[in-house]
Amino acid sequence: MKVGPSAPASLLRTPDFDSYRCDHTVVGADVVSSTTIEIRWSDGRVDRHHPWTLRENATDPATTSPVTRERLTDVATWADDVAVASAAVAPDGRSLAIQWCPDGLVADYDGGWLRHLGDRSWHPDSIRPPIELWRSSTGEPPTFNGPAYLIDDGVLSDALRALAGHGLIRLRDLPVERDGVLDVGRRIGVVRPTQFGPDFDVVARPDADSQAYTSTGLGPHTDIPTRENPAGLQLLHCLVNTVSGGESLMVDGFAVAEYLRVDEPDTFEALTSLRWVWANRSTATDIRWSAPVIGLDPGGSGSVDEIRLANTLRLFPDMDHDDVDLAYRAVRRFTRICDSPEFRVMFPFRAGDCVVFDNRRVLHGRESFTDVAGERHLRGCYVDRDDLYARLRMLARAERQRSLAGADHWNRDLDGGDIGPRHGGGGAVRRFGRTNDVGPGVPRRPVGDRDCRGHQGRTLG
């Protein structure tokens, strides 16, 4: 989201490389107990934090490295009585200074950083847009201009957000070059090698070591379910397609899973709890992993996190004998729904197209084709899902820094480098009675104090 020039920006340094917008001011802080400090905001919101969370994120060079922004202190080495001694809100409400005991350190906490701490925008899931489930009635995937994707971060951001939410995008009019798929993948992150190498060709050949490398049809499946951590994103770039047939099919596995959760809960339960061994066996390798068809969020939310399905790679049922019949019926049902007209999206490849999809969500396949009078050649590679989210965070950070460029107040890096004008030089980390040489301290409203020898909390404003 863009911020206009008049929007307030962060004032103080932060323990990371980011910049934070601060639309609300700190009005006070209350030490509720030795394990809780409450920060009160001008919009009425109250955030609760453990004091040690703030202490280990202080920006002094003994706590946070000025170069790497990595933490230098270790809670395992702390005294048991580390606690808030006193706090003061800056006159403009854009920062909070806390004196810590027993060492007397005074650390400034930027209001924008505190706000992000309270709203949990630091959580890995916070960058993810809402999941958009789709069926065949949704139509063809979100489509973007390929050359613009390669050079324009705005187009890249739009495309990757669509990919994160929809699970599938298509790029058009890309250069028909052998390494073009790698260029597309590297705009997201590191290309992930597999047993097939850093990239691969999908073309019919007589010495095929996978059904993908033939002209036969492929039912809906995910790639490499045989791995502990299957590849997150798959990219397929069409160099040429002049064959008869061979239309690509895509299925939103999450949509199928949610349909089963609601309409066929017994099948859903079997698919999420009964495990199969998945295996890649060839003359050169033997890779195996045991997992259910539908993997749920390991954090316990119950949301669907991944799909594993490949009939050619499903080896044996890894379960009690009494559950095997149910497991077979469940996987048959899941496969048949995925292959139904209600859930399949079909479209042809044309030269210069590249589809990018979440391999742990979207099942893909193709119709059989005849290559006697034509050629069908795709180039593929993989990128991990966490690289997608990391790229989105970096694009969002760059946009925040650009949008804050017209604001009056700016962060200063820990190493002293300005990224814009500051107000008052208030980034100094102080001990009582003196100020270090980073700059003069911003005057503070004292809102309470305490003896560093005790742990009894009191109201700080």
Side-chain angles (χ1 to χ4, degrees):
M1 178 181 297
K2 293 186 176 181
V3 181
S6 61
S10 300
L11 173 63
L12 300 176
R13 298 170 300 176
T14 61
D16 53 34
F17 293 98
D18 215 331
S19 301
Y20 298 94
R21 173 176 173 168
C22 188
D23 290 325
H24 306 285
T25 57
V26 180
V27 297
D30 302 310
V31 176
V32 176
S33 69
S34 62
T35 61
T36 305
I37 181 171
E38 292 185 344
I39 297 175
R40 293 181 280 111
W41 296 89
S42 56
D43 63 347
R45 193 175 97 178
V46 177
D47 294 332
R48 303 173 76 244
H49 304 297
H50 195 292
W52 285 20
T53 302
L54 299 180
R55 178 60 187 87
E56 70 175 353
N57 282 285
T59 57
D60 66 290
T63 302
T64 301
S65 166
V67 177
T68 67
R69 306 303 200 270
E70 292 177 345
R71 184 176 300 127
L72 300 177
T73 187
D74 186 343
V75 295
T77 66
W78 289 5
D80 293 339
D81 58 348
V82 171
V84 175
S86 64
V89 178
D92 60 6
R94 298 193 183 281
S95 62
L96 177 70
I98 296 179
Q99 184 199 18
W100 294 96
C101 64
D103 64 354
L105 174 74
V106 176
D108 286 327
Y109 296 89
D110 166 58
W113 182 86
L114 289 171
R115 189 76 180 188
H116 113 284
L117 181 64
D119 63 26
R120 294 179 61 83
S121 60
W122 44 266
H123 193 277
D125 288 344
S126 66
I127 197 64
R128 301 185 185 185
I131 297 295
E132 305 167 11
L133 302 179
W134 45 271
R135 301 188 181 192
S136 59
S137 58
T138 305
E140 295 195 357
T143 301
F144 299 86
N145 178 269
Y149 166 97
L150 293 174
I151 62 173
D152 187 325
D153 280 356
V155 175
L156 177 66
S157 180
D158 290 343
L160 296 189
R161 286 189 62 81
L163 174 60
H166 196 79
L168 165 67
I169 62 170
R170 178 174 57 193
L171 306 176
R172 293 224 119 140
D173 301 320
L174 285 163
V176 180
E177 299 172 351
R178 180 170 178 80
D179 290 337
V181 71
L182 297 175
D183 294 335
V184 174
R186 289 167 182 154
R187 282 287 276 165
I188 304 172
V190 177
V191 171
R192 171 179 167 172
T194 68
Q195 66 267 31
F196 305 115
D199 51 16
F200 53 89
D201 295 271
V202 182
V203 62
R205 63 179 192 237
D207 62 339
D209 58 357
S210 168
Q211 285 297 107
Y213 307 143
T214 70
S215 60
T216 60
L218 295 174
H221 65 282
T222 61
D223 274 16
I224 324 182
T226 58
R227 295 274 183 173
E228 176 183 3
N229 182 32
L233 304 177
Q234 182 169 176
L235 295 79
L236 292 172
H237 179 210
C238 180
L239 301 185
V240 61
N241 185 21
T242 58
V243 301
S244 176
E247 275 198 319
S248 292
L249 68 90
M250 298 283 176
V251 178
D252 186 352
F254 284 10
V256 175
E258 293 303 330
Y259 164 78
L260 290 170
R261 189 203 297 266
V262 173
D263 286 35
E264 302 180 32
D266 291 343
T267 301
F268 180 82
E269 173 65 22
L271 291 167
T272 58
S273 61
L274 301 180
R275 306 171 73 90
W276 295 85
V277 170
W278 311 88
N280 269 123
R281 297 170 296 170
S282 73
T283 58
T285 189
D286 192 330
I287 302 169
R288 307 186 188 204
W289 191 252
S290 176
V293 172
I294 300 176
L296 299 180
D297 171 27
S301 71
S303 61
V304 176
D305 185 61
E306 69 175 17
I307 305 293
R308 296 180 192 239
L309 189 73
N311 181 61
T312 58
L313 304 177
R314 183 172 45 77
L315 189 57
F316 300 121
D318 184 17
M319 62 198 73
D320 292 338
H321 174 75
D322 291 344
D323 292 325
V324 173
D325 186 66
L326 174 60
Y328 272 113
R329 286 188 282 112
V331 77
R332 275 161 51 94
R333 179 64 177 147
F334 187 83
T335 303
R336 287 173 174 175
I337 295 174
C338 287
D339 208 21
S340 69
E342 182 178 356
F343 284 93
R344 287 189 307 174
V345 172
M346 306 285 297
F347 55 87
F349 268 117
R350 72 185 193 193
D353 284 356
C354 181
V355 293
V356 187
F357 57 94
D358 186 337
N359 177 61
R360 292 161 67 182
R361 169 184 173 181
V362 175
L363 298 91
H364 66 289
R366 68 162 183 251
E367 299 289 294
S368 63
F369 61 90
T370 302
D371 58 352
V372 175
E375 183 182 1
R376 185 181 190 270
H377 187 181
L378 309 180
R379 292 272 294 156
C381 69
Y382 302 105
V383 176
D384 280 325
R385 276 202 300 204
D386 49 3
D387 279 314
L388 165 64
Y389 303 130
R391 189 72 168 112
L392 282 171
R393 289 186 198 99
M394 292 304 295
L395 290 167
R397 179 194 297 182
E399 176 60 22
R400 279 194 300 274
Q401 292 176 342
R402 283 193 299 269
S403 66
L404 288 167
D408 293 331
H409 307 309
W410 274 83
N411 286 345
R412 181 192 297 268
D413 284 342
L414 280 171
D415 59 7
D418 282 326
I419 58 174
R422 287 170 57 83
H423 172 71
V429 175
R430 307 184 310 276
R431 296 181 185 274
F432 276 123
R434 66 185 181 88
T435 301
N436 68 16
D437 60 3
V438 175
V442 172
R444 303 283 173 180
R445 295 198 296 274
V447 291
D449 57 61
R450 57 180 289 182
D451 189 331
C452 286
R453 294 169 297 180
H455 286 286
Q456 298 302 312
R458 67 174 63 185
T459 300
L460 301 183

